[in-house]
Amino acid sequence: MSSSLNLNPDLLNAVRKRNVIPFIGSGFSRDLGVPMLDDVISLMAGKLGWSPEVLQIQGGNFWQIAEYYTIEKGGLSLLRSDLDKLFHKKEIDISKSEIHSLLVDINAPVIYTTNWDCWIEKAYDSKGKEEGKDYQC
């Protein structure tokens, strides 16, 4: 692990003993250019011909836009291709992401994530590590 981290000694010891299970939420891959929820909802609103800002002013929220999109389009399958392109840009070099590299290096027994992207798995691949990875994107 990077010596530039200033971690609590108890936490650092727990990481070394593999007694830490990271929970990775939205924003973890943001530095790679992966869109956040508001970006995805804005894309949905645009495909419906709406402005998400106007809907919010009128009392709508992101979840209502997503629900309406699903009803209007019959699901999310039409959006998946666009999302895949947004989440997995070919020009991204995961080996240069320090945060993803550190996550692999801590050798956690399990990683929980809410992320839609595959960059954690690709970070394992870039380091040639299969141990601890049980999901293939």
Side-chain angles (χ1 to χ4, degrees):
M1 286 206 308
S2 172
S3 60
S4 65
L5 293 177
N6 186 15
L7 296 176
N8 173 294
D10 292 334
L11 177 59
L12 188 54
N13 191 41
V15 168
R16 284 185 180 130
K17 291 181 178 180
R18 299 185 73 214
N19 288 332
V20 170
I21 298 175
F23 183 89
I24 307 301
S26 68
F28 189 78
S29 297
R30 178 83 176 185
D31 289 345
L32 299 174
V34 173
M36 299 292 288
L37 176 62
D38 57 336
D39 302 318
V40 173
I41 297 299
S42 292
L43 177 65
M44 285 183 192
K47 289 192 174 287
L48 291 167
W50 296 352
S51 166
E53 294 82 15
V54 171
L55 290 174
Q56 289 175 13
I57 291 169
Q58 294 178 353
N61 64 46
F62 291 149
W63 303 115
Q64 289 170 324
I65 296 169
E67 181 178 7
Y68 187 73
Y69 180 95
T70 302
I71 292 167
E72 277 296 301
K73 302 293 184 178
L76 297 175
S77 60
L78 295 175
L79 189 65
R80 286 193 179 126
S81 177
D82 290 335
L83 291 177
D84 191 48
K85 290 174 190 169
L86 286 172
F87 282 102
H88 303 103
K89 295 176 183 172
K90 300 215 181 295
E91 63 270 12
I92 295 173
D93 182 355
I94 192 61
S95 68
K96 294 183 178 172
S97 172
E98 184 178 2
I99 192 73
H100 286 82
S101 180
L102 286 170
L103 181 63
V104 175
D105 289 347
I106 68 170
N107 198 27
V110 175
I111 298 171
Y112 289 102
T113 182
T114 61
N115 289 9
W116 298 347
D117 64 74
C118 294
W119 292 113
I120 293 172
E121 292 83 355
K122 290 177 187 256
Y124 272 83
D125 291 343
S126 77
K127 291 188 157 228
K129 290 190 172 187
E130 288 294 321
E131 180 185 339
K133 188 183 98 171
D134 65 359
Y135 181 79
Q136 183 69 36
C137 286

